């Protein structure tokens, strides 16, 4: 029987760029077994040895920077600059993980409380085999960073990249191996959802890290719940941006346009809902319109600012959201046109002023080159509207009063908040990343993220060679009385 292939198509030109063989689910068990066998030697390496190999991986990716940027751009339809930004972000994360990993994963002293004759600490122990399932929108960052965290923590990995971007995942795997990651410590398999589901269901995978849609994330959570398998879910978002009356409007408008249109709006932390205080709304909207109209869109990967959407299906979802919003009374301030005529799945960057909070474009992830602006009375109104969503991935607040911005950040229900910035939190490798609400469970990045890939083992060591503890059998009346007296003295 011939093995089916996955064909990778450039969404900006609709031309085929290559293919990979699908990994049939009945051929996965030996792959899982090899991953499990490899855990012994990989996890027994010293932390500094693993971090040294990951340093070499970083250097390898930099040496292949242009090739990777070009490949990412071809598979996703984004521009070469955006492809490069993926490589840049990935190597920044690699640098951080290989530098700070040994410190974050070292055994950590803990207080033994009143038990001065005990020593307490925590071990961060790898789970074993981690199944990593990744999406197409950032095929290098969202694949490489969880892989590197899992490996740094001492796990081996079975990775399934998205069926839309298999070539980037395949090439990444090759470069990791060339840099010294053992073949069985990182194995890349290809296919559709059934291959992902087989990774989740396998008795050989000890943890799952999934990045993708809420619908698939929910299925994976149910499958993991059945097996009580630990998981991290990095899911979708509908991020709010709050622009207050004292904001630097030039900066806020620039952030809205970059936060809304970079990667053709296909970023989980894209600024999709913008709440601007009425008194500055006209000026802010004017600036956003001007900046949006200056953007070049099209298949010229070198000179365009905004590339293609990943597929016809994605293009249809975005156009449907825009159409429904307009039918419901929203005004198109810029763009709104389907640009398929230029060859690929393009949409002109679109700015809408919306008045109805219940339309799909305000409640569901659109994941395209569109930003929706809504006028609000004041900061309180903006916070209320920002929080009126089941998603809670990231958010941003623009105000010249940084203290006020930080106070507002605390009131917004989101895994990350930027004050006077947008999306940069993701590039900042020491900050944990993840969502609240339906945007996900658990964290990647930073010490919290690295430790997600570990079991936390508490260790208590008795310091002295006493024959027994006073609370062991037999317990004398005197001991019971003494404990009560001590309890009153210490805690009363
Ligand atoms: P998707 O959920 O359709 O697919 C993601 C991956 O899951 C793919 O590799 C796919 O083959 C696999 N898959 C599909 N069905 C599966 C199943 N039943 N079991 C196991 N695996 C299965 O998502 P997508 O369209 O590739 O990516 C876009 C989504 O990802 C958006 O919602 C976006 O917001 C989200 N995303 C989130 C983050 C984050 O960090 N929070 C980052 C990027 C993208």
């Amino acid at each position: 029987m011939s093995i089916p292939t996955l064909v990778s198509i450039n969404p900006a030109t609709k031309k085929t760029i290559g293919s990979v063989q699908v990994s049939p689910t009945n051929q996965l068990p030996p792959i899982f077994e090899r991953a499990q066998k490899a855990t012994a030697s990989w996890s027994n390496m010293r932390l500094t040895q693993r971090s040294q190999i990951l340093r070499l991986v970083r250097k390898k990716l930099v040496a292949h920077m242009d090739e990777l940027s070009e490949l990412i751009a071809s598979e996703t339809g984004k521009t070469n600059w955006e492809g490069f930004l993926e490589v840049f972000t990935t190597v920044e994360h690699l640098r951080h993980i290989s530098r700070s990993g040994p410190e974050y994963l070292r055994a950590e002293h803990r207080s033994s409380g009143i038990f001065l004759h005990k020593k307490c600490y925590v071990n961060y122990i790898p789970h074993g085999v981690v199944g990593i399932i990744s999406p197409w929108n950032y095929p290098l960052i969202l694949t490489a960073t969880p892989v590197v965290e899992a490996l740094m923590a001492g796990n081996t990995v079975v990775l399934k990249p998205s069926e839309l971007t298999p070539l980037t995942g395949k090439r990444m795997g090759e470069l990791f191996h060339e840099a010294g990651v053992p073949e069985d410590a990182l194995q890349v398999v290809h296919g559709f959802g059934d291959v992902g589901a087989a990774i989740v269901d396998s008795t050989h995978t000890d943890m799952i890290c999934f990045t993708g849609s809420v619908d698939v994330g929910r299925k994976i959570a149910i499958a993991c719940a059945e097996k009580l398998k630990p998981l991290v879910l990095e899911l979708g978002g509908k991020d709010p941006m709050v622009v207050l009356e004292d904001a630097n409007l030039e900066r806020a408008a620039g952030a809205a346009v970059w936060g809304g249109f970079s990667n053709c709006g296909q970023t989980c932390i894209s600024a999709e809902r913008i709440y601007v205080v009425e008194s500055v709304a006209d000026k802010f909207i004017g600036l956003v319109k001007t900046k949006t109209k200056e953007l070049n869109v099209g298949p010229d990967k070198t000179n365009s600012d905004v590339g293609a959407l990943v597929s016809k299906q994605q293009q249809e979802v975005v156009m449907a959201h825009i159409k429904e919003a307009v039918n419901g009374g929203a005004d198109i301030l810029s763009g709104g046109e389907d640009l398929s005529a230029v060859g690929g799945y393009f949409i002109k960057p679109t700015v809408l002023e919306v008045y109805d909070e219940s339309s799909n474009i305000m409640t569901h992830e659109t994941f395209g080159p569109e930003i929706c602006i809504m006028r609000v009375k004041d900061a309180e109104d903006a916070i209320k509207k920002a929080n009126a969503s089941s998603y809670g991935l990231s958010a941003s607040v623009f105000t010249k009063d940084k203290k006020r911005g930080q106070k507002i950040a605390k009131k917004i229900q989101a895994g990350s908040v930027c004050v006077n910035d947008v999306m940069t939190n993701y590039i900042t490798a020491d900050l944990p990343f993840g969502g609240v609400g339906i945007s996900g469970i658990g964290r990647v990045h930073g010490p919290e993220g690295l430790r997600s890939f570990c079991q936390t083992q508490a260790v208590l060591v008795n310091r002295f060679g006493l024959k027994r503890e006073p609370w062991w059998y037999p317990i004398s009346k005197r001991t019971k009385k003494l404990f009560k007296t001590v309890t009153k003295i210490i805690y009363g």
Side-chain angles (χ1 to χ4, degrees):
M1 203 180 74
S2 68
I3 295 176
T5 52
L6 272 180
V7 176
S8 182
I9 290 167
N10 182 338
T13 60
K14 299 187 190 166
K15 290 198 175 118
T16 298
I17 35 179
S19 64
V20 296
Q21 282 197 339
V22 166
S23 319
T25 51
N26 61 4
Q27 291 179 23
L28 294 175
I31 292 173
F32 297 139
E33 280 158 26
R34 281 204 298 278
Q36 198 170 46
K37 263 199 191 137
T39 55
S41 54
W42 184 250
S43 66
N44 278 337
M45 269 186 189
R46 287 200 311 275
L47 283 165
T48 47
Q49 272 178 295
R50 290 202 295 268
S51 86
Q52 180 55 26
I53 294 177
L54 295 177
R55 264 192 204 109
L56 299 177
V57 171
R58 187 190 78 217
K59 287 178 185 292
K60 181 64 86 177
L61 296 188
V62 173
H64 289 264
M65 183 168 81
D66 292 336
E67 176 207 338
L68 283 169
S69 309
E70 172 83 32
L71 177 61
I72 294 166
S74 300
E75 274 207 301
T76 56
K78 59 180 91 178
T79 64
N80 280 349
W81 168 248
E82 289 168 334
F84 162 75
L85 278 184
E86 277 215 46
V87 182
F88 169 78
T89 306
T90 304
V91 293
E92 166 58 11
H93 278 267
L94 259 160
R95 189 185 70 102
H96 181 72
I97 292 163
S98 57
R99 273 191 185 179
S100 307
E103 182 198 327
Y104 292 158
L105 296 171
R106 208 166 281 140
E108 198 179 59
H109 169 79
R110 293 294 165 96
S111 161
S112 57
I114 56 158
F115 303 112
L116 301 177
H117 59 309
K118 314 283 176 193
K119 176 174 111 173
C120 292
Y121 61 93
V122 164
N123 278 330
Y124 294 107
I125 294 183
H127 286 287
V129 180
V130 178
I132 296 181
I133 301 167
S134 59
W136 48 263
N137 62 328
Y138 287 90
L140 183 68
I141 303 175
L142 297 172
T143 304
T145 52
V147 165
V148 168
E149 289 182 312
L151 289 173
M152 182 66 233
N155 303 280
T156 62
V157 173
V158 177
L159 161 73
K160 191 198 90 61
S162 166
E163 56 274 29
L164 293 177
T165 52
L167 299 177
T168 307
K170 181 171 179 268
R171 188 69 187 122
M172 188 205 93
E174 288 163 0
L175 294 173
F176 271 54
H177 295 147
E178 284 173 27
V181 174
E183 299 257 339
D184 290 349
L186 168 62
Q187 297 178 83
V188 184
V189 299
H190 295 286
F192 294 89
D194 59 330
V195 177
I199 293 176
V200 174
D201 286 340
S202 169
T203 51
H204 290 95
T205 53
D206 303 292
M207 179 203 166
I208 299 299
C209 178
F210 170 79
T211 308
S213 62
V214 172
D215 286 349
V216 175
R218 194 171 275 125
K219 284 187 199 161
I220 291 177
I222 291 168
C224 285
E226 284 283 337
K227 298 189 158 59
L228 296 178
K229 194 177 281 193
L231 84 168
V232 168
L233 295 177
E234 295 289 341
L235 309 178
K238 190 79 192 170
D239 287 4
M241 173 183 281
V242 172
V243 182
L244 298 177
E245 65 288 350
D246 62 346
N248 175 337
L249 294 182
E250 177 65 34
R251 185 170 171 85
V257 172
W258 188 67
F261 301 133
S262 61
N263 214 43
C264 200
Q266 300 168 116
T267 305
C268 52
I269 51 173
S270 285
E272 292 211 16
R273 300 178 287 146
I274 299 180
Y275 299 107
V276 54
V277 171
E278 175 68 58
S279 57
V280 294
D282 286 339
K283 192 162 176 210
F284 173 75
I285 287 172
L287 287 165
V288 170
K289 271 166 63 177
T290 308
K291 288 178 190 298
T292 302
K293 285 184 175 145
E294 285 165 1
L295 298 174
N296 292 315
V297 191
D300 176 355
K301 284 191 297 191
T302 313
N303 297 310
S304 293
D305 300 302
V306 180
L309 287 119
V310 78
S311 63
K312 185 166 173 39
Q313 190 197 358
Q314 193 61 30
Q315 189 188 33
E316 283 170 358
V317 169
V318 179
M319 286 310 294
H321 275 197
I322 295 173
K323 202 168 161 201
E324 189 217 300
V326 171
N327 289 341
D331 291 320
I332 293 189
L333 306 180
S334 185
E337 293 111 296
D338 177 327
L339 296 182
S340 300
V342 300
Y345 306 116
F346 293 95
I347 293 178
K348 199 157 188 192
T350 303
V351 182
L352 293 149
E353 180 163 0
V354 292
Y355 313 97
D356 173 14
E357 277 181 274
S358 67
S359 58
N360 271 324
I361 209 158
M362 292 300 275
T363 55
H364 287 72
E365 191 178 37
T366 307
F367 226 50
E370 108 302 334
I371 49 181
C372 296
I373 305 179
M374 185 173 249
R375 293 169 194 251
V376 292
K377 259 196 341 258
D378 52 22
E380 283 310 309
D381 192 17
I383 295 167
K384 200 171 128 215
K385 289 188 163 70
N387 286 340
S389 169
S390 331
Y391 293 98
L393 196 52
S394 285
S396 54
V397 183
F398 285 80
T399 163
K400 281 190 190 135
D401 181 346
K402 279 181 242 152
K403 272 198 182 150
R404 184 183 180 208
Q406 288 167 81
K407 269 192 189 162
I408 290 175
K410 268 192 166 177
K411 293 185 183 170
I412 295 184
Q413 287 152 23
S416 322
V417 185
C418 288
V419 178
N420 295 328
D421 209 330
V422 68
M423 302 205 295
T424 314
N425 60 300
Y426 194 90
I427 307 174
T428 313
D430 205 29
L431 276 178
F433 182 80
V436 300
I438 61 168
S439 289
I441 296 174
R443 294 291 178 267
V444 290
H445 305 177
E448 294 82 357
L450 206 47
R451 290 170 184 173
S452 299
F453 291 90
C454 300
Q455 296 166 22
T456 307
Q457 183 192 55
V459 181
L460 179 146
V461 182
N462 195 44
R463 285 183 198 272
F464 313 115
L466 301 177
K467 248 172 47 198
R468 63 186 292 274
E469 297 294 342
W471 51 85
W472 289 0
Y473 300 122
I475 312 160
S476 67
K477 277 193 183 148
R478 203 167 145 260
T479 302
K480 287 179 182 169
K481 200 170 161 204
L482 181 70
F483 258 78
K484 286 189 178 169
T485 309
V486 169
T487 300
K488 278 185 195 153
I489 294 168
I490 300 181
Y491 307 107

